[in-house]
Amino acid sequence: MCLSIPGKLIEVTNELDKTFRTGKVSFDGIIKEVSLTLVPEANIGDYVMVHVGAAISVIDEDEAKKTFDILMQLGELNDLDNPE
């Protein structure tokens, strides 16, 4: 199943311009580098939905936490801790 997973944008690591950026996103302490190209409005501290290495939308913190908790209960987060 293809899922998008909520995480918190903690750092913008590369910025060619306002559109072409990458950043570090924390998924409950597991940090991954993701593309921010599809969410130019995302700022550090925002929660984003990440699908196959790209942030695809900005969501509110409560929704992010609820979604993350449900995915955890379903056992859908096992791949997060595997090295990329």
Side-chain angles (χ1 to χ4, degrees):
M1 178 187 306
C2 294
L3 295 174
S4 58
I5 301 171
K8 185 175 184 177
L9 179 59
I10 59 171
E11 179 183 352
V12 174
T13 56
N14 192 3
E15 188 169 6
L16 180 61
D17 59 27
K18 266 312 225 184
T19 301
F20 297 102
R21 304 180 303 153
T22 58
K24 291 184 180 179
V25 174
S26 174
F27 302 95
D28 199 32
I30 298 170
I31 310 299
K32 299 284 185 175
E33 186 85 17
V34 302
S35 170
L36 301 172
T37 301
L38 299 174
V39 289
E41 72 278 16
N43 296 304
I44 294 172
D46 286 347
Y47 284 81
V48 293
M49 293 298 288
V50 178
H51 177 67
V52 292
I56 59 173
S57 65
V58 177
I59 62 171
D60 96 355
E61 182 176 0
D62 289 336
E63 189 64 28
K65 289 180 178 182
K66 286 178 193 174
T67 302
F68 194 87
D69 288 344
I70 290 169
L71 291 173
M72 187 176 290
Q73 290 173 15
L74 293 172
E76 294 292 336
L77 301 176
N78 297 333
D79 291 340
L80 268 183
D81 56 4
N82 291 337
E84 292 182 0

